[in-house]
């Protein structure tokens, strides 16, 4: 009888120790933003794991694990050929708990509609960051390449990204109501582009990046038309971000001055480095319909929000050079990120783009993959 009692006590003690170890290994959930005005919202989404009676731990542990936001579907990179991985991809993309990333940070872009030019640019980026020197990510970078896609993006296109080694994250698109009479006259053309079928109908979907705190600590985002042909921005920009993130200072946002941003105190959202926080996503969405946050769509929202409620670390121009205004005379030797639609006829960087596009074609043939509208 005594032996059975001692055995039972030992089992209880061992179970208690094991459950406490599991709690210690759970991801930290306290991602509070730096501003007092956001604390309540932050606590709603990222409250610290509560102290629970040990008798309740076995049933409540699964609820403490990070989950994806509604509508998000994550498919991890596939080392197998696409036709051998289709079934596994479909199963993974339905998960409510995200597959663990291979790295703590991400280099990411987004494709909200299947425009052939932008889709080809995304393929160039995915191949460059996963397989091609000098921009290929290394183990030392502790980062992976991720592509956010709208639900409408075709499966065969996603399969190519996965085979290249990118993580594909499907996110719901975000559209915004447009009240033209309430806006300044000089922005009417821009806001008409937000209407159904307009060029920027889904531009606010970029804000979904701030909801990736369940996957990544830091995100280096670039628009699909920001190209890195000769040098990688990753080492410099992620090291800069990591140096700023410590203790209570756990929110970071950085970008380059816009074309006239040095005069008007605005940065360009085509390249951003930041720590994703769902609380900041919620706050920006609440402000998106209000002036002055709505004057220049996502640009003004992101700028005014961070000027009012956070801090902007202004990056050196070389990481996001737009060939207009104050950037017109920048030497090619001082460019890391070139921001323009380089697929246009006769563009000075067009030969670099065509070379990279042919490399994508070589990859498709080597992997026996096919995209209907791919030119090579």
């Amino acid at each position: 009888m005594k032996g059975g009692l001692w055995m039972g006590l030992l089992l209880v003690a061992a179970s208690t120790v094991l459950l406490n170890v599991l709690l210690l290994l759970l991801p930290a959930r306290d991602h509070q933003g730096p501003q007092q005005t956001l604390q309540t919202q932050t606590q709603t989404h990222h409250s610290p794991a509560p102290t629970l009676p040990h008798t309740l731990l076995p049933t409540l542990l699964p609820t403490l694990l990070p989950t994806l936001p509604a509508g998000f579907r994550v498919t991890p990179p596939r080392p197998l050929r696409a036709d051998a991985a289709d079934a596994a991809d479909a199963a993974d993309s339905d998960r409510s708990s995200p597959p663990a990333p291979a790295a703590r940070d991400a280099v990411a872009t987004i494709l909200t509609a299947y425009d052939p030019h932008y889709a080809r640019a995304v393929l160039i980026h995915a191949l460059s960051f996963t397989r091609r020197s000098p921009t290929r990510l290394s183990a030392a970078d502790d980062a992976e390449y991720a592509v956010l896609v709208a639900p409408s993006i075709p499966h065969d296109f996603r399969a190519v990204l996965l085979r290249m080694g990118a993580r594909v994250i499907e996110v719901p698109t975000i559209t915004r109501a447009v009240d033209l009479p309430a806006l300044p006259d000089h922005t009417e053309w821009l806001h008409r582009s937000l209407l159904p079928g307009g060029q920027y109908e889904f531009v606010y979907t970029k804000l979904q990046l701030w909801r990736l705190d369940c996957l990544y600590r830091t995100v280096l985002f670039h628009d699909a038309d920001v190209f890195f042909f000769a040098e990688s921005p990753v080492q410099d920009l992620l090291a800069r971000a990591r140096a700023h993130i410590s203790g209570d200072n756990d929110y970071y946002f950085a970008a380059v001055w816009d074309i006239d941003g040095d005069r008007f105190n605005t940065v360009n959202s085509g390249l951003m480095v930041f720590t994703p926080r769902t609380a900041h996503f919620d706050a920006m969405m609440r402000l998106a319909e209000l002036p002055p946050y709505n004057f220049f769509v996502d640009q003004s929202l992101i700028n005014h929000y961070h000027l009012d409620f956070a801090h902007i670390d202004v990056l050196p121009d070389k990481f996001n050079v737009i060939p207009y205004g104050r950037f017109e005379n920048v030497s090619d030797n001082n460019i890391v990120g070139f921001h323009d639609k380089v697929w246009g006829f006769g563009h000075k960087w067009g030969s670099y783009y065509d070379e990279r596009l042919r490399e994508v074609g070589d990859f498709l043939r080597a992997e026996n993959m096919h995209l209907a509208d791919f030119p090579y």
Side-chain angles (χ1 to χ4, degrees):
M1 182 71 179
K2 289 184 178 179
L5 178 61
W6 279 109
M7 183 61 69
L9 291 174
L10 285 172
L11 287 173
V12 170
S15 299
T16 302
V17 170
L18 177 61
L19 291 170
N20 277 286
V21 169
L22 286 173
L23 278 178
L24 290 173
L25 293 176
L26 287 173
R29 302 288 285 167
D30 186 11
H31 292 173
Q32 291 193 5
Q35 300 299 322
Q36 185 73 26
T37 55
L38 296 177
Q39 282 184 355
T40 302
Q41 189 68 33
T42 305
Q43 291 168 357
T44 300
H45 287 277
H46 302 290
S47 55
T51 301
L52 301 171
H54 293 312
T55 53
L56 298 179
L57 287 175
T59 56
L60 294 183
L61 272 174
T63 68
L64 299 177
L65 298 174
T67 56
L68 292 171
F72 277 49
R73 300 172 66 186
V74 176
T75 310
R78 285 293 172 194
L80 304 175
R81 291 184 182 275
D83 55 356
D86 282 348
D89 290 344
D92 277 332
S93 64
D94 286 330
R95 290 171 132 174
S96 59
S97 292
R104 67 173 180 172
D105 298 331
V107 181
T109 192
I110 188 170
L111 188 64
T112 57
Y114 193 80
D115 174 275
H117 292 300
Y118 281 94
R120 293 166 191 167
V122 168
L123 292 174
I124 288 174
H125 295 310
L127 191 66
S128 296
F129 280 107
T130 60
R131 294 172 179 261
R132 190 187 189 283
S133 296
T135 50
R136 182 175 58 198
L137 294 168
S138 68
D141 295 324
D142 200 9
E144 66 176 7
Y145 197 71
V147 181
L148 276 66
V149 299
S152 62
I153 300 304
H155 175 78
D156 58 348
F157 180 82
R158 303 185 195 199
V160 174
L161 294 173
L162 296 170
R163 184 66 187 102
M164 287 177 172
R167 185 178 297 268
V168 174
I169 305 173
E170 180 183 303
V171 299
T173 55
I174 298 175
T175 57
R176 209 202 80 199
V178 180
D179 183 11
L180 292 174
L183 297 165
D185 291 340
H186 66 281
T187 66
E188 180 178 336
W189 69 270
L190 182 61
H191 287 79
R192 287 194 183 280
S193 70
L194 296 173
L195 299 173
Q199 180 180 1
Y200 299 121
E201 179 182 1
F202 301 118
V203 71
Y204 281 91
T205 306
K206 185 184 292 188
L207 299 180
Q208 298 281 26
L209 290 157
W210 270 266
R211 305 176 79 186
L212 294 178
D213 45 356
C214 61
L215 287 171
Y216 304 112
R217 181 178 180 183
T218 309
V219 172
L220 193 173
F221 169 81
H222 66 93
D223 279 342
D225 59 353
V226 178
F227 293 89
F228 310 97
F229 289 122
E231 184 178 344
S232 173
V234 174
Q235 292 80 11
D236 289 344
L237 294 184
L238 289 185
R240 184 176 179 129
R242 290 163 184 165
H244 280 78
I245 302 168
S246 62
D248 294 335
N249 183 31
D250 75 338
Y251 184 69
Y252 176 77
F253 177 83
V256 173
W257 286 131
D258 209 345
I259 297 173
D260 295 313
D262 54 340
R263 292 193 295 131
F264 297 107
N265 209 30
T266 56
V267 293
N268 184 273
S269 64
L271 181 139
M272 305 179 289
V273 188
F274 59 95
T275 46
R277 295 290 183 270
T278 299
H280 291 291
F281 167 84
D282 291 339
M284 284 190 280
M285 288 299 293
R286 287 196 297 269
L287 297 170
E289 307 284 347
L290 305 174
Y293 302 96
N294 64 345
F295 284 171
F296 287 95
V297 292
D298 66 306
Q299 289 270 122
S300 58
L301 174 59
I302 292 170
N303 270 279
H304 283 291
Y305 177 79
H306 287 90
L307 287 170
D308 291 347
F309 300 108
H311 170 75
I312 299 177
D313 180 25
V314 179
L315 300 173
D317 290 343
K318 66 179 182 178
F319 292 110
N320 186 11
V321 174
I322 308 168
Y324 308 102
R326 66 190 185 89
F327 292 110
E328 284 185 359
N329 298 318
V330 174
S331 166
D332 291 352
N333 295 328
N334 293 325
I335 296 176
V336 176
F338 187 79
H339 190 170
D340 201 17
K341 295 164 183 56
V342 300
W343 50 80
F345 177 75
H347 197 285
K348 62 179 288 188
W349 291 82
S351 60
Y352 290 91
Y353 172 81
D354 288 339
E355 178 186 343
R356 301 296 187 273
L357 203 58
R358 287 188 177 90
E359 291 175 356
V360 172
D362 293 340
F363 174 86
L364 293 176
R365 285 186 290 275
E367 297 298 320
N368 195 27
M369 304 183 79
H370 177 72
L371 292 175
D373 59 355
F374 197 78
Y376 295 111

